[in-house]
Each structure stands twice: as structure tokens, then as C-alpha cells.
Amino acid sequence: MSINSTSNVIELRGVSKRFTTPSGGIYTALRELDFSVAPGEFCAVVGPTGCGKSTTLTLVSGLERPSTGTVQVDGVPVSGITPGVGFMFQNDAVFPWKSVLDNVAAGPRFRGTSRRLANEAARDWLRRVGLAGFEDRFPHQLSGGMRKRVALAQSLINEPRVLLMDEPFSALDVQTRSIMADELLNLWEQTRPAVIFVTHDLEEAITLADKVIVLTAGPGRIKKIFRIDLPRPRNAQEIRFTDEFVALYSEIWETLRSEVETAYARTTKEVSA
Amino acid sequence: MTQAKRIPDLGSTEPTLEVPAAGGDDDRARARELRRRKLRRRIWLNLARIALVVAALGSWELGVNTKHIDPFFWGQPSGVWRQLKTWITDGTAQGSLGEQILVTLQEAVYGFLIGVFLGVVLGIALGRNRFLSDLLSPFIKVANSIPRIVLGSLFSIAFGFGLTSKVVLAIVLVFFGVFFNAFQGTREVDRNLLSNARILGASRWQATRQVVLPSAFTWILASLHVSFGFALIGAVVGELLGADKGMGLLIRNAQNNFSPNGVLAGMVVIGVIALVAEALITALEKRLLRWRPPQLAGDAGI
Ligand SMILES: Nc1ncnc2c1ncn2[C@@H]1O[C@H](COP(=O)(O)OP(=O)(O)OP(=O)(O)O)[C@@H](O)[C@H]1O
Ligand SMILES: [Mg+2]
């Protein structure tokens, strides 16, 4: 057991998270969550809205503490911001007052790298995410997709061992999303961090991941974990037409659907009540 | 009705023209027509403004000439003009006009800079620190609610007739506006951006300097416009209460000599200083808020 837990990069054991609601009650967002992610593993998390996906990521990143249970990264219990972690937030979090170059160079600059070296690395990463030539723009002068690329470069420049992504592409149109998925896989192959990728989109989850975790409607618990043994490298635009993909999709969707329906029934009940 | 609706569309404060994207000849002609209409409107507006000033000053002057207004109490525009000319050519009783302006400006600028600095530092410190803000907020509320201008008398007793008493009064007047804006701006910082900075490795100080400060700047800059006015008030009132140089003293001497034209001429000079400062602050604001989308930055005011 203990040997097993040190071989994983991310390890959640019996994790629950409770919030106090504005009316003074207690809301349980996550209940008794157990899962682990191996080094270099790409793990997708799907589940209905409000089931605690974002909350899970904040626990792993160290922005929040679990109410009960333990979160370990690299065998060390999380306390403070987890070192070696990258986080792409659900909402845009690039700094609007920094140019694209300064945004990407921010991580190394915060960590004490000289401006020259940081800018050099930032230029390199901008080239890799296809934004060479946009160094001097401000975020409001970019498209939504370009801002996501900036955020991606901003995270990857720190060469994280763990990359947390919270529905990073959900605001993009379908075509851009599958292009970004391809680019993400490409970049991930280069540095191979362990990834937790939260998404609403089951197709995206299967395309990218080695394993898909399905959460129940809130409070989130693990419903089932699916291994995705599709061969790599994968092509996001084509893989979804293969028979294996279609079979996996219908199998996982069968599991996910009842949770989505539960969550939906709950919200409509709340509205009509 | 439709006429009334069209006017705001062409408002002179609108920063961008609606130029159609596709550049057909038709579109270009329309864009040119729009621009011409806008220019014409601006010229008209300025002419109307000048007319308004001329009318106001003219009827004042006329009122004096027809003996409806007593220039002994209220002065008259031509008298103010003469007074200004005398000051410029012959100097004032306390030295050249330039010297008086410089003295007042120095007091106001020192007070402004120190007041803004203190306001920003304390505003952000309290905005970032729950304990400090809980501890100090009742004192700050009390201090803000007393009529601070009265402190001018105290300062002129304590610090004498020199520079210090005016600068301190200006600081006190400037501080609170800047402080409350910096505090509020700090409280409104996007949590997401702060989280992102922390994840990327920012220390608390780095997060404050590179995330909190720039995002609170929008608020702080908004307060600077009013603040320079307050600094100027602090300097002038300080001089009214006791000084050996400056615009305030000039005005006070005019008052003692029963010269309303002198008081008004002093006011005009101070007004010009305030306008120049306002223009400088607006330029600074534009420069510092470059990163914002154009329809939000600058220009939006009156
Ligand atoms: N700071 C908080 N205080 C109170 N409740 C919270 C807080 N953060 C999250 N919650 C609640 O916890 C639950 C899970 O939130 P979370 O953001 O993790 O959902 P999610 O799965 O990411 O949803 P979505 O897919 O819509 O982004 C929600 O019901 C939310 O209302
Ligand atoms: Mg979420």
C-alpha cells in the first residue's frame, strides 16, 4: 500500500470537501474521493456540473485544503501551493496588463530567473504554441483561442510535473477545440507531466486521456474509472471515428448519463421549488 | 424624437468611429461622411461653448456698465483681465506672479505626491490584510468624517507660515480619497488572477506588486483626478490661513484691499493650474492603462 502510494504522482485518499454556504449551512462538494495518477499519466475527469471537479483541482494544487482525507503529490502531503504544479483555470487567468511575452515569462520571473533567460524561454514556448509574432500584444487584443494558448505556454514554461486543466477549451468552438487537443497532446508528449484534465466533453476526455474518471452528481464521488487503451500518438480529428473509440464512448456515456440526469433533475427541481 | 436619439450616437466623447470592416467604395464614402459629420459637430460645439462664455462674461460686464451689478463687491471681467495683466507685467506686491504660482504649485505637488503615496500604500496594505483593516477601520471612518480642512488652523500654529503647514494640509486632504479607492481596488482583485500568480510561483510581495497593484490602479487613477484638486485646495487654504508667499496670500491680500477683481484673478490662475494638472493626469492614465480595451480606457469621462 505505502509502496504503491509513493509510485504515484498524485494520490487522493478519503478526500472530502465541505463549504459553508452563505445561509450558514454546510455543503458537501466532495465525499470520500480516492484516486491516483501515475507519473506521465493523462487522466480526464468528467461529471455533471457542480459535482466538484474544479474543487478537486484546487485541492491538488494546494489552493484549498481537504476537510478530511489526504492529498499527496510526489508522496508529500499538500500544504501550501504544491511545488511543480501547473494550473489552467476554468476562466481566463492571464494577466490583462502584461504583454503576451511578459505573461508567459511570469512564472520564471517569479521564481527568480533573469529577465533575459525568462524572455528567451518565453519566446521559445510562444513558438511552440504557435504564437510567435504576438509577443507585444495585450491579452484583450487576442482571440479566445489565442488566450488559451498563452495560458498553456504560461503553465508549461515552468515544466510542471503535474498539470491541472479545468475545462481549458470549453469556451472555444468545436474546430478550434480539436486543434487545441492535438496541440496539447503534442506538447504533453514533449515534457510528459501527469495531467488531470477536467471537461464536460466526453469525446474530448476519451481522445486525450489514458484514463477517464466519472464522478457522480454532487456531492462528487467516484462512480467508475475507465482505462483508455487507444494507441498513441493520437490524432484528435480522426480517432473519434474508430470502432474502439465509439465502443468506449457508448460504454462511458451509459455510466455518465444517469448522473447528468440526476444533476439536471436536481437543478430543475430547485428552480421550480 | 428621432433627432434627439441621434445626438448621443455622434457624441464627441465617443472614442471610435464606426467604420465598416469591408472596404467597398460605398462603405468608405459612408465612413468619410460620418467623420465629416463628426468634425462639423465638434466645431459647432466649440463655437457654442465660446459663445456661452462670451455671453456670460458679456452680460456681467454689461450689468456693471448699466449699474445693475456693483463692481465694488462683484468685480468685472475687464477688471479681472486688467489685474491679470498687471500681475504678469509688473508683478505683485509680494514678488512676481510666477513666483507665487511656483510656491503654491510646489506645496500642492508635494502634498499630492506624499498623500497619494501614503494612500496607495496604506490602502493596499489594509486591503491585503484582514487583521489590519479590522483593527484600523473604525479610526479611519472617524478621521474621514471630521471636517479636515479645519486642521489647517492647527497646522499653521504647529508648523508656522512656511511650506510644511500647507503640504501637511494637502496630504490630509488627498490621502483619504486615494486610500479608499486603493482599498476598494485591492478588495476587488480577481481571485482567479491571484491564484494563478501563486501557482506560477509568486511570493506574497510579488503578487501584491504585479497583480494587486496593477488591477487596483484603475481605481487609484480614478481618484487622482479629484485628488490634485484637493491638494490645490489644501495649499491655497493653508496660504489663506497664514503665509508669506503664494496664490492664497495673493487672494487674501486682494480681499483685504477690497479688490474683488484680485480675488477673481487669483481664482482664474488657480483654475488654469488645475486644468493643466488634469490634462497631465489624464495623459498618465492613458499611458498606464494601455493594456485595457480602448472603449474602457480614458476618454469615457466628461
Ligand atoms: N467557495 C465555495 N463556497 C461554497 N460552495 C462552493 C465553493 N466552491 C464551490 N462550491 C460548491 O461546490 C460544488 C462544486 O463546485 P465545483 O466548482 O467544484 O463544480 P464543478 O464540478 O467544477 O462544476 P462545473 O462543471 O460547472 O465547473 C458546487 O455546488 C459549488 O456550489
Ligand atoms: Mg468547474
Side-chain angles (χ1 to χ4, degrees), chain A residues 93 96-98 110-111 140, chain B residues 192 196 199-200 206 210 291:
Chain A
W97 46 82
K98 282 185 189 289
F110 286 145
R111 288 152 198 253
H140 81 261
Chain B
N192 238 343
N196 193 22
I199 296 275
L200 291 172
Q206 284 171 325
Q210 298 195 34
W291 53 270

Side-chain angles (χ1 to χ4, degrees), chain B residues 75-140:
Chain B
Q76 64 187 110
S78 59
V80 172
W81 178 244
R82 258 195 314 277
Q83 176 70 80
L84 278 173
K85 263 201 340 219
T86 325
W87 279 350
I88 291 166
T89 51
D90 307 344
T92 70
Q94 340 146 182
S96 76
L97 181 65
E99 194 188 350
Q100 313 311 314
I101 293 176
L102 231 56
V103 167
T104 304
L105 203 57
Q106 190 186 23
E107 293 158 357
V109 168
Y110 283 1
F112 176 73
L113 292 179
I114 299 172
V116 166
F117 177 78
L118 290 178
V120 169
V121 169
L122 260 97
I124 290 180
L126 263 65
R128 288 283 272 163
N129 189 321
R130 191 73 232 200
F131 175 74
L132 265 185
S133 75
D134 285 349
L135 178 73
L136 297 180
S137 69
F139 301 111
I140 289 169

Side-chain angles (χ1 to χ4, degrees), chain A residues 48-55 57 90-91 166-167 198 200:
Chain A
T49 177
C51 74
K53 303 185 294 295
S54 299
T55 306
L57 295 191
Q90 188 162 6
N91 305 315
D166 196 352
E167 306 192 27
V198 166
H200 274 126

Side-chain angles (χ1 to χ4, degrees), chain A residues 1 90 201 205 238:
Chain A
M1 179 74 201
Q90 188 162 6
D201 182 349
E238 285 159 19

Side-chain angles (χ1 to χ4, degrees), chain A residues 96-100 134 136-142, chain B residues 290-291:
Chain A
W97 46 82
K98 282 185 189 289
S99 69
V100 167
F134 291 93
D136 296 330
R137 300 254 196 131
F138 287 104
H140 81 261
Q141 298 164 320
L142 301 178
Chain B
R290 255 174 328 153
W291 53 270

Side-chain angles (χ1 to χ4, degrees), chain A residues 9-230:
Chain A
V9 188
I10 305 166
E11 181 94 42
L12 279 79
R13 286 284 160 256
V15 168
S16 303
K17 180 69 185 176
R18 289 183 284 271
F19 291 107
T20 48
T21 56
S23 54
I26 286 181
Y27 180 83
T28 307
L30 291 173
R31 181 175 293 162
E32 294 295 318
L33 207 62
D34 291 291
F35 75 89
S36 55
V37 182
E41 190 176 31
F42 201 121
C43 169
V45 176
V46 294
T49 177
C51 74
K53 303 185 294 295
S54 299
T55 306
T56 308
L57 295 191
T58 60
L59 295 179
V60 176
S61 67
L63 287 167
E64 297 262 3
R65 301 269 164 282
S67 307
T68 59
T70 58
V71 180
Q72 295 196 344
V73 174
D74 276 328
V76 182
V78 168
S79 66
I81 298 294
T82 312
V85 73
F87 200 146
M88 263 182 89
F89 292 85
Q90 188 162 6
N91 305 315
D92 249 355
V94 294
F95 305 115
W97 46 82
K98 282 185 189 289
S99 69
V100 167
L101 185 73
D102 288 342
N103 256 296
V104 177
R109 292 288 293 139
F110 286 145
R111 288 152 198 253
T113 310
S114 75
R115 173 169 290 284
R116 197 178 58 80
L117 288 178
N119 282 355
E120 221 166 80
R123 269 179 228 287
D124 183 42
W125 273 102
L126 281 172
R127 209 162 27 244
R128 289 200 226 177
V129 298
L131 282 182
F134 291 93
E135 287 85 354
D136 296 330
R137 300 254 196 131
F138 287 104
H140 81 261
Q141 298 164 320
L142 301 178
S143 71
M146 290 157 103
R147 277 203 291 275
K148 291 296 177 192
R149 286 163 205 260
V150 175
L152 190 59
Q154 193 180 47
S155 290
L156 290 175
I157 196 172
N158 286 328
E159 301 190 350
R161 296 243 306 133
V162 171
L163 182 58
L164 309 171
M165 307 180 82
D166 196 352
E167 306 192 27
F169 308 141
S170 59
L172 305 177
D173 62 278
V174 180
Q175 288 85 356
T176 316
R177 207 188 303 177
S178 79
I179 292 170
M180 290 296 294
D182 263 336
E183 290 183 2
L184 173 63
L185 282 179
N186 199 350
L187 293 167
W188 173 69
E189 299 280 359
Q190 293 173 24
T191 51
R192 274 282 178 158
V195 179
I196 303 182
F197 187 100
V198 166
T199 176
H200 274 126
D201 182 349
L202 185 52
E203 207 170 270
E204 190 177 49
I206 301 172
T207 304
L208 295 168
D210 297 315
K211 108 177 154 196
V212 174
I213 298 179
V214 179
L215 294 183
T216 62
R221 266 173 299 119
I222 296 210
K223 172 114 184 212
K224 202 163 174 195
I225 300 180
F226 295 87
R227 289 228 70 82
I228 311 294
D229 283 321
L230 300 171

